Amino acid sequence: AAISMERIDQRNETKERYEKLDLLEKLAARYKSLSEQNLENVIILRIDGTQSVEAVSEAIWNGLKDAGCFDN
């Protein structure tokens, strides 16, 4: 969540209502909890957000492809 806030701050734009450190930390904890459960028909990708923006983007696309979210 801290890295998210750093990236948000670097944009030099008005923050969205949800772009607050405490909220991002709570959301991260909830998604982590969900990802550790074996939910039927639910795909949750765990992406290391400490990587570069490019690496995060690539990991998301690859994860979605691997999960069968796109017809190829």
Side-chain angles (χ1 to χ4, degrees):
I3 291 173
S4 295
M5 285 306 303
E6 287 175 23
R7 290 180 176 165
I8 290 166
D9 289 339
Q10 289 173 357
R11 291 190 319 223
N12 291 323
E13 296 175 359
T14 303
K15 292 184 180 93
E16 299 290 338
R17 290 182 295 182
Y18 58 85
E19 294 178 327
K20 298 176 184 170
L21 183 59
D22 61 331
L23 179 58
L24 293 175
E25 288 173 341
K26 288 177 188 176
L27 289 171
R30 288 181 183 168
Y31 278 111
K32 182 178 185 286
S33 174
L34 285 172
S35 73
E36 292 169 347
Q37 299 175 32
N38 216 2
L39 302 173
E40 188 174 330
N41 298 319
V42 175
I43 299 168
I44 297 177
L45 300 175
R46 295 203 55 203
I47 306 294
D48 179 1
T50 64
Q51 302 175 84
S52 69
V53 172
E54 294 80 14
V56 170
S57 178
E58 184 176 341
I60 292 168
W61 281 109
N62 289 337
L64 291 171
K65 288 178 198 173
D66 292 346
C69 294
F70 301 107
D71 294 330
N72 289 338

